[in-house]
Amino acid sequence: MPVRAFILTSLLQISFFSGIMDKYQEQPHLLDRHLEWMMTLLLDIVRDNGSPPQLVHLAFKFLYIITKVRGYKVFLPLFPHEVRDLQPVLDMLVDQNPKDPETWETRYMLLLWLSMICLIPFDLARFDGNISEEEHTRVPTMDRILAVAKCYLVVSDKARDAAAVLVSKFIVRPDVKQKRMADFLDWTLSMISKSSFQSMEGTVVMNGMLQALAQLFKHAKREDCLPYAATVLECLDNCKLSESNQMVLRKLGMKLVQRLGLTFVKPKVAKWRYQRGCRSLAANLQAQGSVVQSQMTTVAANEADDEEEYDIPGEIENVVEQLLVGLKDKDTIVRWSAAKGIGRITGRLPKELADDVIGSLLDCFSFQETDNAWHGGCLALAELGRRGLLLPSRISDVVPVILRALTYDEKRGACSVGSNVRDAACYVCWAFARAYDPTELIPFINQIASALIIAAVFDRDVNCRRAASAAFQENVGRQGTFPHGIDILTAADYFAVGNRVNCYLTISVYIAGFPQYTQPMIDHLVNMKINHWDSVIRELSTKALHNLTPRASEYMANVVLPRLLPLSVGTDLHTRHGAILACAEITHALCKLAEENNRSITHYFDEKSLEGLKQIHEEVCIKYKCLIPFMFFTVSAGWQWLINDSLRSLTFASSTARQHIKESAVSALAALCNEYYINEKGEADSALQDELVTMYVSELQNTEEMVRCGFSRALGALPRFLLKGRLQQVLEGLKQVTLISPGNVSFAEARRDALIAIAKVCQTAGVKGEGSQEEYVCKDNVAQIYAMLLNGVTDYTTDSRGDVGGWVREAAMRSLMEVTLLLVQNEAELIDANICKQIMCCVAQQSAEKIDKFRAHAGSVFLALLHFDHPPIPHIPHREELERIFPRSEKETLNWNAASEAFPRITQLLALPAYQYSVLLGLSVSVGGLTETTLRYSAQSLFDYMKKIQNDSSALESFCETLLKVFEDNLRNDRVSVPLLTMLDQMLANGCFDTFTMQENHPFPVKLFTLCKEEIKRSKDIRKLRSSIGEPSTGTSVFAFPQHLELRFPGHCPAQSVFFPVFSRFCGLIQFQGDMREKVFFQLFLLLCHPFPVIRKTTASQVYEMLITYSDVLDPAIMDSVLTILSDTNWEAELPVVREKRNCLCDLMNVPKPQLPPSPFSCTASKGDLSW
Amino acid sequence: MGLLTILKKMREKERELRLLVLGLDNAGKTTLLKRFNGEDVTGTAPTLGFNIKTLEHRGFKLNVWDVGGQSSLRSYWRNYFESTDGLVWVVDSGDRERLQLCGKELRGLLREERLAGATLLVFANKQDLPGALPASAIREALELDSIRSHHWCIQGCSAFTGHNLLPGIDWLLDDIASRVCPPD
């Protein structure tokens, strides 16, 4: 196979294979049963002398992919490790190029393999034969291996890790140890002292040396290492690795220092290793196994306390000190390493020294320390606990610390740290469960159980909740003393605690049913969670308090509420927010309780609490983003002020909170009015009404949009007795909001809310045709109401947020529908034919527009009006035809959102004279729009319609008339005219007007041309210009042009000015006979000298293409010369040059030469005037 | 690395045990291993070097290391001591002459720091052969009752026939599994 092909296929194979292997990453042990055959297969390739080197490398790459997933430790024993493997593997390794970046996997695997072969229990000298006698130059095998190992310890790729493994297995061999260990250690120490972690190379070398030493001191026999340990420790101290910012080096340092520590002290076997915290289950199983045991004799090891006394070397203090510092390291893996080290070393120390370590360890838990120290401290405690090294006398010191760590949460800016501390604290609890005898933990069991439950249910982070649940389970299983352990565990298992809302609102209530947990849970929420930095937690915990109230109503009323009340007026915003919410939730829950038990609410609230609650109302201000749950309090005083103030302060709230505040304030207002502002006769207090309505109406003219929104909606929520006699004032006020004036163009949300409010006011006031316009919707004001709403449907405001007018149109349509349905159900005669036509037409127009969401809304309104039956809406134009187009059976299934369904229907309305104008107006925006699907379906539907009327001249005439009218009405209205031009372009290209091309000087093209000319006059929008010359059929390709143009002329042509449809129009118009042609050419030649070079160039190429397409428009005799000038001229050259060429064309084609207009129209591109 | 990761790792580790099979040469160590592994036990030759077998038993993954027992290899034994959960000492119950040597080698092993805490299972092998000493005699000869440092158990068996191998191994697994403190 050729080399390149081989490389290619092998790359493919590698990615395929690692794709399979990666799937095992989570549970790599599933690979175990397949490891052997995979290995055999691959090693067969390696060992086959006939395999080309590339194939061998490929096999090693595959092996590496497997070890990467499974880990090399599992993999190692599978390597063949017979005597005969030694030489070939060593030879292969020596042949490698240590620097080849393509084949490091080969080196890595070979080194690992060699480390396995090194375990053969034979003296290496036996492989060397009689060297000394035969050839002096031959190096002994031992030194060859050592040389390879040293060589790879200083490389920067992964082979270095394997070299460290090799060293640890090789140096500890009895023969090598005796001859080479001292030398090797000297070498590593001198390498270390020569390098610095400040440099790249130094880091690489130190990494290799530290790995080698750490592995060596781990695997070698303690006695063998002991003589060197002090020297190595000294060298390590001199490195000052803790100052390095290389995390890996610090971690390796931590590993090595603990290995050295372990070398200084003898191992001890934990005497209780079979006994503590035994699961009762395990005991049962052992009883069953007694049959077997009777046949055998077991003698338990002597557990007598025979602690051997011997001197602990002074170095241990240094080592422990370094490990304690390592616990506070900024990187987790370093802390982990340190914690394990603490555990291992303490396990070998005599009691008193071990206890000293624990004493220093407890220093990690102070409030000056960082979360890193807390985390490291917890890890170390857990390691000690797991090994049973905390004496029972220390448990009383440790438990309070752990309880604090279980809820550790330190604020850092906008969020907090500490989830790792809480997780580690769970680990401690888990370890205690295993290591301690239940009797030792009994005094603390209630505290630990409550704290774990609280963490399992109320922790913010899912991993902590799960860890706490796991620790709880371990305690239940091993200690068997947790109150109601099994029941709780069933409710709060690993999966159940995954869902936080469920934890807070459901599981907590269940657990609080066990009395010993109720109060700690409530206290935790009040002390730690209602002031949490995460507002979701604050709100959840207050809801939880609500749900927990029935479990401890007296406690809530007598202890919790009094504690919360002062907090709710404090200075800390989070606390304040949480406390207010909590007061509200608890009060609400207590009210419900009182209701259920038929008790007075004062059963739960004493005078002081009530006073406090009132005070909250007065103090609370919306500016602090405190969301007041208005509905919960039913005691008055200051309410009106509060609601008004919230509405006024909407501006200060975040946009998400705003909507919520507005809704709650408005609904509270309605409740409040109904409750307090009505007298016995069902009327309003007139002074109060006057004050309220006047103030609200005046706020409608506030300069803040949000205030207008709020008060519009508030007016909409006023009950009937407050509107009575004031209806005109309210409607007039709302009308002012709906009007667009120069100062408030962007106040779309205010206009939307006013339109919504108008419908609400109408609904509240009710209908009475002959009634007073101050009280009812009646014949005197119905026209005015409709005028406001219909005006809303024409709101096309856009700003930086996009089509904000869409909100207004949407609200206007909904309100139109609501008011119309209201009228038709009460006094249908108030709807006259004209109004009904206007409504239907403007909704039809919206149903043909381009934005899916608004079109769908319009469609549903249209159908709702059409299909309303109780009673039917009178005067709907063309009702019969509409019912045919939109049969009731499809009311539910028709999807207006989908352009493919909406446009085929709506274009059918073009045939209905009443709707033709509106639908065409809406349609032109869609057909000429930019969205691919909308464009495609709307255009297709339009063309289908055009094809249908092609032979019906009256229909066609009427269509064209309407089209021209739409154009004329929207001249210079870019929202409509630009897409309209694009639509015309496409219609021309699709031969929609072919009938007219036969007639000389047909009025339609003439009129169209005039309008086009009018449209581009003095226009600087390039897209429009380009489009007007553009060849119809190339319309789509020109779409990409504006961006291109924008890149070349930044600033000259703002992106939103989209001009080009006018251009295409001219070229399209060429096909019409008569004077038209000359006029078109004249216009095009004007553009050939446009101040923008790019326009000149485009015009030239478009004219060129046009002439080729409609070849009959030119005398064949001059065709060639014209085309040559068009194609050979550099139209981007200086204007005088270009003008000369253009004039040649004029002469050739007998078109009058455009003359330069007198100043001030002399061309300046920056002004964007067209220079003729 | 959180508690859940630790638990996951630990669960994997707890299910994975390392057993070291040692004994004098010709005690039947490799035969024992082969019998466990369901291989053909006839024609087993002296082990030159060492074997590693991975077996599944009762949900445990056993990494069994079998090292040759010739006197020349014995000095290399300690290369294999690391993180050993259980030591299986195999005795040729018919080899009366070397019982004393056998006991001496075992004593030596039990003094090893790195085997401290490991569980000891003594197999009194070759019970199928005539003239084999019973387990009780071996126990006496090896002075097992004086062992205080390790949990131990002696089991008469035949690696060749497979008799009584399982009860021995099961005891070993139970003993290791019932520890709550991890060895280092």
Side-chain angles (χ1 to χ4, degrees):
Chain A
M1 201 188 298
V3 176
R4 279 185 59 167
F6 178 84
I7 291 173
L8 249 169
T9 44
S10 57
L11 280 178
L12 282 174
Q13 285 163 341
I14 287 171
S15 73
F16 179 67
F17 185 64
S18 63
I20 297 174
M21 284 295 132
D22 285 347
K23 295 199 171 74
Y24 286 90
Q25 194 70 63
E26 265 303 296
Q27 293 188 292
H29 60 271
L30 294 177
L31 273 178
D32 287 359
R33 60 180 66 239
H34 304 290
L35 290 178
E36 199 165 338
W37 66 260
M38 286 195 285
M39 180 118 178
T40 316
L41 216 65
L42 291 167
L43 287 185
D44 280 349
I45 298 173
V46 171
R47 293 207 270 195
D48 182 352
N49 288 329
S51 303
Q54 281 156 336
L55 188 62
V56 173
H57 288 310
L58 186 63
F60 278 120
K61 278 193 195 342
F62 272 56
L63 280 173
Y64 170 70
I65 291 170
I66 304 171
T67 52
K68 188 189 72 179
V69 176
R70 188 56 185 112
Y72 78 90
K73 283 183 190 165
V74 178
F75 213 61
L76 272 183
L78 296 172
F79 277 114
H81 42 74
E82 284 171 47
V83 174
R84 62 186 168 94
D85 294 309
L86 178 62
Q87 287 303 341
V89 171
L90 187 52
D91 291 343
M92 224 186 297
L93 197 46
V94 171
D95 286 342
Q96 299 299 314
N97 170 9
K99 293 204 170 71
D100 182 359
E102 297 296 318
T103 58
W104 59 268
E105 292 96 338
T106 306
R107 274 119 53 197
Y108 177 73
M109 296 312 300
L110 281 172
L111 284 163
L112 285 180
W113 191 358
L114 189 58
S115 78
M116 197 60 203
I117 299 172
C118 278
L119 291 178
I120 46 172
F122 304 104
D123 194 329
L124 291 175
R126 283 164 62 178
F127 296 95
D128 299 330
N130 299 328
I131 303 177
S132 46
E133 291 166 21
E134 288 167 13
E135 1 167 6
H136 298 279
T137 48
R138 228 174 97 188
V139 186
T141 305
M142 188 188 290
D143 292 331
R144 285 181 71 201
I145 296 178
L146 201 56
V148 164
K150 280 178 169 178
C151 156
Y152 283 103
L153 274 181
V154 295
V155 298
S156 58
D157 59 34
K158 203 158 166 51
R160 183 182 53 198
D161 304 359
V165 175
L166 170 62
V167 161
S168 71
K169 310 250 162 155
F170 180 67
I171 299 284
V172 301
R173 290 176 50 89
D175 47 354
V176 182
K177 180 195 73 187
Q178 197 186 352
K179 292 177 189 149
R180 297 284 183 269
M181 185 167 177
D183 291 348
F184 179 79
L185 287 173
D186 278 345
W187 177 75
T188 47
L189 294 186
S190 76
M191 289 296 277
I192 288 182
S193 39
K194 272 190 288 185
S195 6
S196 149
F197 56 72
Q198 308 284 8
S199 71
M200 210 37 221
E201 307 80 54
T203 309
V204 168
V205 170
M206 283 182 112
N207 185 315
M209 297 307 131
L210 291 171
Q211 280 202 58
L213 287 171
Q215 291 272 6
L216 191 55
F217 277 84
K218 178 178 178 183
H219 293 286
K221 199 174 163 186
R222 199 176 69 83
E223 291 96 323
D224 296 342
C225 295
L226 193 54
Y228 310 104
T231 323
V232 175
L233 183 61
E234 198 189 325
C235 173
L236 185 64
D237 286 349
N238 291 335
C239 289
K240 302 209 186 317
L241 283 179
S242 58
E243 290 163 19
S244 163
N245 51 15
Q246 295 280 334
M247 176 186 75
V248 185
L249 290 187
R250 292 202 310 279
K251 185 190 115 181
L252 287 173
M254 213 38 71
K255 267 190 160 179
L256 181 54
V257 85
Q258 64 172 285
R259 291 293 163 203
L260 292 169
L262 291 173
T263 310
F264 290 121
V265 279
K266 283 188 192 170
K268 271 199 304 194
V269 177
K271 299 191 175 82
W272 48 270
R273 66 190 189 279
Y274 289 97
Q275 284 149 22
R276 299 283 169 72
C278 252
R279 284 168 197 261
S280 48
L281 201 64
N284 290 341
L285 289 180
Q286 270 181 348
Q288 282 171 3
S290 59
V291 189
V292 183
Q293 229 147 17
S294 64
Q295 300 167 358
M296 299 183 280
T297 320
T298 314
V299 175
N302 184 358
E303 304 283 6
D305 201 344
D306 56 351
E307 198 157 278
E308 202 182 331
E309 289 297 326
Y310 65 99
D311 284 340
I312 298 295
E315 282 92 346
I316 277 295
E317 199 176 327
N318 175 3
V319 169
V320 170
E321 182 58 40
Q322 292 196 35
L323 290 175
L324 284 170
V325 172
L327 286 179
K328 302 175 186 177
D329 195 279
K330 64 179 194 290
D331 280 301
T332 313
I333 58 163
V334 182
R335 298 198 291 272
W336 253 112
S337 186
K340 287 189 203 162
I342 294 269
R344 289 179 180 133
I345 290 182
T346 311
R348 298 187 177 190
L349 295 178
K351 256 183 203 160
E352 294 73 28
L353 287 179
D355 204 51
D356 285 351
V357 175
I358 292 154
S360 335
L361 191 56
L362 288 174
D363 291 343
C364 280
F365 305 92
S366 88
F367 285 106
Q368 285 95 43
E369 291 291 357
T370 62
D371 56 312
N372 292 338
W374 278 70
H375 180 236
C378 281
L379 292 179
L381 280 181
E383 287 292 318
L384 294 176
R386 202 154 72 92
R387 295 172 153 83
L389 298 169
L390 291 169
L391 297 179
S393 61
R394 276 288 186 181
I395 298 184
S396 57
D397 297 331
V398 172
V399 167
V401 166
I402 292 310
L403 294 181
R404 258 189 297 159
L406 271 174
T407 55
Y408 186 92
D409 206 5
E410 283 286 292
K411 242 166 101 176
R412 290 271 189 288
C415 56
S416 76
V417 292
S419 71
N420 56 349
V421 176
R422 302 196 297 277
D423 183 275
C426 293
Y427 180 31
V428 179
C429 296
W430 178 89
F432 281 8
R434 295 203 137 200
Y436 287 103
D437 196 89
T439 51
E440 282 157 11
L441 281 180
I442 277 286
F444 312 99
I445 216 73
N446 277 330
Q447 283 174 286
I448 295 177
S450 301
L452 279 178
I453 273 302
I454 284 165
V457 179
F458 292 141
D459 201 287
R460 178 175 178 270
D461 296 324
V462 62
N463 59 322
C464 293
R465 292 197 301 277
R466 292 195 159 151
S469 171
F472 192 86
Q473 180 182 348
E474 197 72 16
N475 274 283
V476 171
R478 298 234 182 229
Q479 299 282 314
T481 45
F482 270 28
H484 310 287
I486 303 276
D487 294 333
I488 291 172
L489 202 54
T490 325
D493 65 11
Y494 178 87
F495 295 103
V497 299
N499 182 331
R500 189 165 65 186
V501 175
N502 189 40
C503 280
Y504 269 81
L505 302 185
T506 316
I507 301 179
S508 69
V509 179
Y510 171 77
I511 297 172
F514 301 107
Q516 56 268 75
Y517 298 113
T518 323
Q519 218 163 295
M521 286 172 82
I522 293 172
D523 288 344
H524 173 80
L525 287 176
V526 172
N527 295 332
M528 310 282 296
K529 285 296 184 322
I530 62 164
N531 54 359
H532 199 269
W533 57 269
D534 182 353
S535 68
V536 179
I537 293 294
R538 294 201 295 274
E539 280 164 31
L540 265 181
S541 44
T542 57
K543 285 186 188 139
L545 282 173
H546 176 275
N547 290 0
L548 291 175
T549 303
R551 297 276 189 215
S553 54
E554 299 293 326
Y555 185 67
M556 289 288 196
N558 301 331
V559 181
V560 178
L561 259 188
R563 209 190 310 164
L564 286 173
L565 289 172
L567 296 179
S568 61
V569 291
T571 49
D572 180 79
L573 291 189
H574 291 161
T575 313
R576 202 166 171 187
H577 175 221
I580 292 168
L581 276 181
C583 286
E585 293 282 4
I586 294 172
T587 315
H588 186 206
L590 288 173
C591 289
K592 279 204 291 194
L593 265 186
E595 229 167 81
E596 276 166 28
N597 301 332
N598 284 325
R599 280 186 183 142
S600 152
I601 186 118
T602 45
H603 174 80
Y604 293 112
F605 300 107
D606 58 14
E607 201 47 41
K608 249 175 92 188
S609 300
L610 281 178
E611 204 45 51
L613 287 173
K614 253 190 210 166
Q615 201 193 345
I616 296 179
H617 308 158
E618 285 154 26
E619 293 278 336
V620 156
C621 179
I622 205 85
K623 280 173 206 160
Y624 298 130
K625 281 201 271 177
C626 295
L627 246 182
I628 302 121
F630 297 91
M631 297 302 291
F632 298 151
F633 301 97
T634 41
V635 212
S636 167
W639 281 111
Q640 189 60 55
W641 174 84
L642 189 60
I643 293 169
N644 296 347
D645 192 59
S646 347
L647 292 171
R648 264 190 215 107
S649 315
L650 280 175
T651 317
F652 303 107
S654 67
S655 56
T656 41
R658 218 178 260 163
Q659 199 62 22
H660 202 90
I661 295 173
K662 195 165 67 188
E663 302 290 337
S664 9
V666 165
S667 66
L669 177 67
L672 182 80
C673 293
N674 282 323
E675 193 78 17
Y676 296 105
Y677 294 164
I678 193 163
N679 60 21
E680 300 77 36
K681 282 179 279 175
E683 288 166 357
D685 176 300
S686 71
L688 209 142
Q689 181 191 18
D690 180 56
E691 188 192 346
L692 186 85
V693 174
T694 309
M695 193 266 283
Y696 276 23
V697 170
S698 71
E699 290 288 2
L700 290 177
Q701 286 309 307
N702 196 299
T703 50
E704 288 289 346
E705 184 187 8
M706 282 306 130
V707 178
R708 292 187 181 196
C709 285
F711 284 95
S712 295
R713 296 295 296 273
L715 283 168
L718 288 184
R720 189 160 193 288
F721 63 89
L722 282 174
L723 288 172
K724 193 176 164 189
R726 296 277 174 176
L727 190 57
Q728 267 322 99
Q729 188 188 358
V730 170
L731 287 176
E732 190 54 40
L734 290 171
K735 180 184 171 184
Q736 293 307 317
V737 182
T738 65
L739 297 178
I740 304 179
S741 65
N744 62 21
V745 177
S746 65
F747 282 14
E749 287 180 80
R751 296 198 287 277
R752 174 197 63 195
D753 284 350
L755 288 166
I756 294 172
I758 289 170
K760 291 271 174 281
V761 168
C762 291
Q763 284 170 327
T764 317
V767 185
K768 193 171 185 187
E770 297 301 322
S772 153
Q773 59 170 344
E774 287 293 0
E775 192 176 347
Y776 294 106
V777 177
C778 62
K779 62 179 178 11
D780 295 330
N781 59 14
V782 73
Q784 174 206 357
I785 292 169
Y786 270 120
M788 290 190 274
L789 299 179
L790 286 167
N791 187 43
V793 188
T794 62
D795 192 326
Y796 282 97
T797 313
T798 55
D799 66 11
S800 57
R801 293 169 292 180
D803 182 9
V804 291
W807 302 332
V808 184
R809 301 198 299 278
E810 193 178 13
M813 284 189 281
R814 181 177 293 116
S815 294
L816 272 175
M817 178 178 75
E818 284 172 356
V819 171
T820 307
L821 296 184
L822 175 76
L823 288 174
V824 79
Q825 287 175 84
N826 292 287
E827 305 205 20
E829 55 276 19
L830 287 177
I831 307 174
D832 68 30
N834 183 31
I835 284 180
C836 188
K837 183 181 174 216
Q838 283 186 48
I839 298 170
M840 294 309 284
C841 284
C842 79
V843 179
Q845 181 201 332
Q846 297 295 324
S847 326
E849 288 208 347
K850 61 180 175 179
I851 299 175
D852 290 350
K853 192 178 97 181
F854 296 135
R855 189 178 63 238
H857 179 70
S860 73
V861 169
F862 191 84
L863 293 189
L865 292 172
L866 176 63
H867 292 151
F868 193 77
D869 283 331
H870 315 289
I873 294 166
H875 313 301
I876 291 185
H878 307 291
R879 178 179 270 279
E880 277 176 35
E881 289 93 329
L882 291 179
E883 296 266 8
R884 222 177 20 251
I885 298 170
F886 302 105
R888 277 154 204 259
S889 56
E890 291 175 20
K891 193 177 171 185
E892 301 300 323
T893 52
L894 185 61
N895 179 7
W896 282 94
N897 254 321
S900 56
E901 289 190 41
F903 286 109
R905 301 299 177 100
I906 203 73
T907 44
Q908 294 181 41
L909 300 195
L910 288 170
L912 311 177
Y915 296 106
Q916 192 173 48
Y917 180 89
S918 311
V919 172
L920 191 57
L921 179 56
L923 210 51
S924 54
V925 179
S926 299
V927 178
L930 293 172
T931 315
E932 172 66 26
T933 47
T934 312
L935 188 154
R936 189 166 72 225
Y937 290 109
S938 57
Q940 194 51 50
S941 307
L942 177 63
F943 300 150
D944 289 348
Y945 173 72
M946 291 306 290
K947 210 171 282 167
K948 229 166 44 193
I949 61 165
Q950 209 48 234
N951 297 319
D952 180 346
S953 63
S954 71
L956 194 57
E957 288 291 339
S958 122
F959 179 87
C960 290
E961 223 165 90
T962 313
L963 182 63
L964 291 172
K965 184 151 171 41
V966 171
F967 198 173
E968 196 168 6
D969 291 351
N970 289 287
L971 265 184
R972 308 289 180 82
N973 173 9
D974 284 358
R975 182 187 72 79
V976 179
S977 66
V978 174
L980 182 77
L981 284 168
T982 311
M983 178 176 83
L984 279 170
D985 178 17
Q986 295 194 37
M987 291 176 80
L988 284 168
N990 274 276
C992 293
F993 306 115
D994 278 357
T995 344
F996 301 148
T997 56
M998 308 307 164
Q999 303 173 33
E1000 186 125 340
N1001 291 340
H1002 189 279
F1004 172 70
V1006 176
K1007 187 83 188 296
L1008 194 54
F1009 174 73
T1010 322
L1011 288 170
C1012 283
K1013 210 171 91 183
E1014 192 64 27
E1015 180 69 28
I1016 62 162
K1017 207 179 223 172
R1018 303 186 54 195
S1019 171
K1020 59 175 177 179
D1021 190 323
I1022 297 210
R1023 192 174 136 193
K1024 206 190 268 180
L1025 286 173
R1026 276 187 51 84
S1027 176
S1028 75
I1029 3 166
E1031 178 63 27
S1033 55
T1034 60
T1036 352
S1037 66
V1038 189
F1039 275 114
F1041 194 74
Q1043 291 97 334
H1044 180 61
L1045 201 61
E1046 188 56 22
L1047 285 175
R1048 288 171 67 169
F1049 301 97
H1052 279 261
C1053 29
Q1056 69 269 28
S1057 51
V1058 181
F1059 249 84
F1060 70 118
V1062 183
F1063 258 151
S1064 340
R1065 201 69 346 69
F1066 288 139
C1067 294
L1069 288 171
I1070 280 291
Q1071 48 186 311
F1072 296 109
Q1073 311 272 333
D1075 303 343
M1076 193 69 206
R1077 241 172 232 174
E1078 195 178 312
K1079 285 184 186 165
V1080 170
F1081 274 124
F1082 183 77
Q1083 287 298 328
L1084 286 170
F1085 287 168
L1086 277 178
L1087 291 169
L1088 273 179
C1089 287
H1090 190 270
F1092 292 166
V1094 73
I1095 295 287
R1096 302 200 288 272
K1097 197 177 151 194
T1098 316
T1099 311
S1101 71
Q1102 294 287 359
V1103 171
Y1104 185 93
E1105 280 180 36
M1106 169 193 83
L1107 288 176
I1108 290 179
T1109 316
Y1110 306 109
S1111 50
D1112 56 328
V1113 302
L1114 268 194
D1115 183 354
I1118 57 165
M1119 187 63 132
D1120 271 356
S1121 348
V1122 172
L1123 290 181
T1124 313
I1125 295 177
L1126 281 172
S1127 61
D1128 289 0
T1129 307
N1130 175 12
W1131 294 99
E1132 287 173 310
E1134 293 298 312
L1135 263 180
V1137 181
V1138 174
R1139 196 171 291 126
E1140 197 183 308
K1141 292 285 178 189
R1142 194 265 320 262
N1143 290 345
C1144 286
L1145 285 176
C1146 293
D1147 291 343
L1148 269 173
M1149 292 166 67
N1150 259 331
V1151 176
K1153 277 174 230 155
Q1155 297 300 315
L1156 272 177
S1159 59
F1161 287 107
S1162 55
C1163 53
T1164 41
S1166 57
K1167 272 190 181 168
D1169 294 333
L1170 285 175
S1171 93
W1172 302 134
Chain B
M1 190 165 72
L3 173 58
L4 298 173
T5 330
I6 301 171
L7 292 184
K8 196 180 151 201
K9 279 192 172 178
M10 208 169 274
R11 217 165 290 145
E12 264 170 48
K13 260 192 197 162
E14 275 176 359
R15 299 268 106 187
E16 215 167 288
L17 305 178
R18 188 177 137 119
L19 304 182
L20 183 56
V21 182
L22 295 176
L24 301 186
D25 48 301
N26 198 36
K29 299 179 288 297
T30 306
T31 309
L32 183 88
L33 202 60
K34 282 186 171 175
R35 170 59 70 191
F36 262 128
N37 211 21
E39 290 172 36
D40 179 22
V41 293
T42 53
T44 303
T47 306
L48 285 175
F50 63 103
N51 302 306
I52 308 165
K53 286 271 186 285
T54 306
L55 311 169
E56 296 266 356
H57 184 53
R58 285 176 36 194
F60 287 96
K61 196 176 146 203
L62 312 177
N63 291 310
V64 190
W65 291 60
D66 154 39
V67 189
Q70 281 89 351
S71 53
S72 64
L73 305 186
R74 283 179 216 153
S75 61
Y76 287 85
W77 277 358
R78 62 185 185 78
N79 266 15
Y80 309 90
F81 289 165
E82 203 186 294
S83 53
T84 298
D85 297 295
L87 175 63
V88 181
W89 184 252
V90 187
V91 185
D92 176 356
S93 307
D95 188 0
R96 289 157 203 259
E97 291 76 38
R98 294 206 293 169
L99 266 186
Q100 206 181 354
L101 174 67
C102 179
K104 198 178 137 226
E105 290 285 0
L106 178 59
R107 292 283 140 152
L109 284 179
L110 296 182
R111 275 196 297 273
E112 280 289 341
E113 276 181 5
R114 281 180 300 170
L115 291 179
T119 303
L120 169 66
L121 170 66
V122 181
F123 268 132
N125 195 17
K126 307 197 184 178
Q127 292 293 325
D128 55 319
L129 295 183
L133 286 171
S136 55
I138 304 281
R139 173 178 172 176
E140 219 163 280
L142 298 184
E143 296 173 50
L144 293 184
D145 290 296
S146 64
I147 297 176
R148 291 283 178 269
S149 53
H150 296 70
H151 275 201
W152 62 269
C153 170
I154 182 162
Q155 177 74 50
C157 73
S158 163
F160 189 77
T161 63
H163 178 69
N164 261 350
L165 289 188
L166 270 190
I169 290 295
D170 284 344
W171 172 85
L172 188 68
L173 293 190
D174 282 337
D175 187 80
I176 296 170
S178 65
R179 284 185 209 145
V180 279
C181 178
D184 258 329

